Amino acid sequence: MDYSFFTGAACGLLLLAATRIATGHKRRDSRWLLVLLGGVFVYLLRPLLNDQSALLDLLIDIPTILIPGAFWLFCHQLCSDRETFPKWGWWLIATQIAVDLASHLNLHHFFYLLAQPYKLGIIGAGLATLLQQFQSDLVAERRQLRIGLLIAIGGYMILVVCAEFVFGFFPTPPGVPTLHAVTASLLAFGACFWLLSLSPHALEESLPQSTVAELQVNPDETPQPPLDEAQCALLSQLQQHMEAGGYRRTGLTIRELAEQLDAKEHVLRALINKHLGFRNFNEYLNQYRIDEASRRLADPQEAHLPVLSIALDIGYRSLSPFNAAFKRRHDKTPTEYRRDQLPAS
């Protein structure tokens, strides 16, 4: 009875959150978050469903099988601005789904032993995505979401997967299912309270725009408030510092930049994000770095310099991130750009 009560409460809250996200964030791409919520909903409800035929049981279990992959995809969608999900990641998720399906079909005991560690690996990839470039993230609401997902949701998912693996070999202690339902209810309530009350624009500020919204967006739709005197002074100081070559420091972080400017880090983050329009500090640095690289690659007097030397001079640690940033700007590699700008005579 206790399990049914708390499971019902958690499922009701999840439905509320999913409805709010689906109707209130139409211009944001929230598909993987909705898949994740749907999977958790079915996972919590699954023990209350009577056993049906093997095929029907498998169909009911499919949404829960999608949870680890949906979590990783949602984390990537949340944190990786305009970067496509890697192809190898799709293969890993597809393999996890196949192994999990084989485990549910009881094809071989080996698949059950492999399924749980594989789930942990996919969830761990999502957690690693949340940690990646956390320091350079300029969107305050998204940084808060990263922390919440990392500690509460990701941590609890790992605990649940480990518990499932252990209790697959040993009897489940009394009270554990109820404790699980209570914890799920508290997490669902906390998520709803945060996203619907404390920070209602967190997802709106964090998720990427949907394709339709990108076509319809009006850049003047949400004008930013004017800068006050202190912000104007900091903006002027920031621009002078960067134009003087401040971006060339290798490994420069926004914390170090704030110290150089004698400014508060959160104020500088908000300035670059809200008023300059950058969601990631590295992309802000790339604007200056790629501008300089483009000039130098088109300069006949520097045609003798290797591309790597220019990349190191402007602050990159290696050639790979420089090539990636340069290609995003010009849709060609630095070598191709130089060849076009300095044709052989």
Side-chain angles (χ1 to χ4, degrees), residues 85-160:
F85 192 74
K87 292 182 179 179
W88 55 266
W90 287 109
W91 282 106
L92 289 178
I93 292 175
T95 305
Q96 177 262 316
I97 293 173
V99 170
D100 219 343
L101 284 172
S103 173
H104 279 71
L105 291 172
N106 296 318
L107 296 182
H108 195 282
H109 188 62
F110 167 76
F111 289 109
Y112 177 79
L113 295 176
L114 183 61
Q116 303 304 94
Y118 214 132
K119 287 181 184 177
L120 288 177
I122 298 296
I123 295 171
L127 298 179
T129 302
L130 293 173
L131 285 172
Q132 187 179 18
Q133 296 189 0
F134 174 78
Q135 179 62 25
S136 63
D137 194 346
L138 299 175
V139 184
E141 292 82 0
R142 186 167 62 181
R143 284 167 58 84
Q144 295 170 359
L145 270 179
R146 285 193 191 215
I147 295 174
L149 287 169
L150 185 67
I151 297 175
I153 308 302
Y156 190 66
M157 288 174 67
I158 289 178
L159 181 62
V160 168

Side-chain angles (χ1 to χ4, degrees), residues 164-201:
E164 284 182 345
F165 187 72
V166 172
F167 296 145
F169 298 95
F170 301 97
T172 304
V176 169
T178 300
L179 177 62
H180 171 49
V182 171
T183 305
S185 298
L186 292 175
L187 286 174
F189 174 78
C192 288
F193 184 66
W194 181 21
L195 295 177
L196 302 182
S197 179
L198 294 181
S199 186
H201 300 294

Side-chain angles (χ1 to χ4, degrees), residues 138-313:
L138 299 175
V139 184
E141 292 82 0
R142 186 167 62 181
R143 284 167 58 84
Q144 295 170 359
L145 270 179
R146 285 193 191 215
I147 295 174
L149 287 169
L150 185 67
I151 297 175
I153 308 302
Y156 190 66
M157 288 174 67
I158 289 178
L159 181 62
V160 168
V161 171
C162 292
E164 284 182 345
F165 187 72
V166 172
F167 296 145
F169 298 95
F170 301 97
T172 304
V176 169
T178 300
L179 177 62
H180 171 49
V182 171
T183 305
S185 298
L186 292 175
L187 286 174
F189 174 78
C192 288
F193 184 66
W194 181 21
L195 295 177
L196 302 182
S197 179
L198 294 181
S199 186
H201 300 294
L203 286 175
E204 186 73 22
E205 294 291 333
S206 304
L207 288 173
Q209 289 184 334
S210 64
T211 304
V212 175
E214 287 179 354
L215 296 175
Q216 296 177 345
V217 68
N218 181 358
D220 298 325
E221 184 177 351
T222 55
Q224 295 297 331
L227 298 174
D228 58 29
E229 185 176 348
Q231 290 173 322
C232 287
L234 179 57
L235 179 59
S236 176
Q237 184 184 6
L238 172 64
Q239 291 173 334
Q240 292 176 10
H241 180 76
M242 300 303 283
E243 289 170 2
Y247 57 87
R248 296 193 186 102
R249 178 181 173 84
T250 303
L252 179 65
T253 65
I254 192 166
R255 179 171 300 175
E256 293 173 343
L257 181 59
E259 292 174 353
Q260 293 171 7
L261 299 176
D262 195 23
K264 295 181 179 179
E265 183 180 339
H266 73 275
V267 174
L268 185 59
R269 284 183 184 276
L271 184 69
I272 298 175
N273 174 224
K274 299 293 185 181
H275 294 281
L276 297 182
F278 291 91
R279 294 166 61 86
N280 186 283
F281 180 64
N282 290 334
E283 289 302 316
Y284 172 67
L285 292 180
N286 285 338
Q287 173 187 248
Y288 290 95
R289 290 172 173 173
I290 301 305
D291 281 349
E292 178 177 343
S294 301
R295 292 193 301 269
R296 295 179 65 176
L297 288 169
D299 187 353
Q301 296 183 358
E302 298 199 32
H304 65 284
L305 284 178
V307 172
L308 177 60
S309 298
I310 295 177
L312 297 177
D313 286 347

Side-chain angles (χ1 to χ4, degrees), residues 47-67:
L48 301 178
L49 301 177
N50 295 325
D51 290 336
Q52 308 292 331
S53 65
L55 178 59
L56 185 57
D57 282 343
L58 179 62
L59 292 176
I60 294 174
D61 287 333
I62 286 178
T64 68
I65 293 174
L66 299 177
I67 289 176

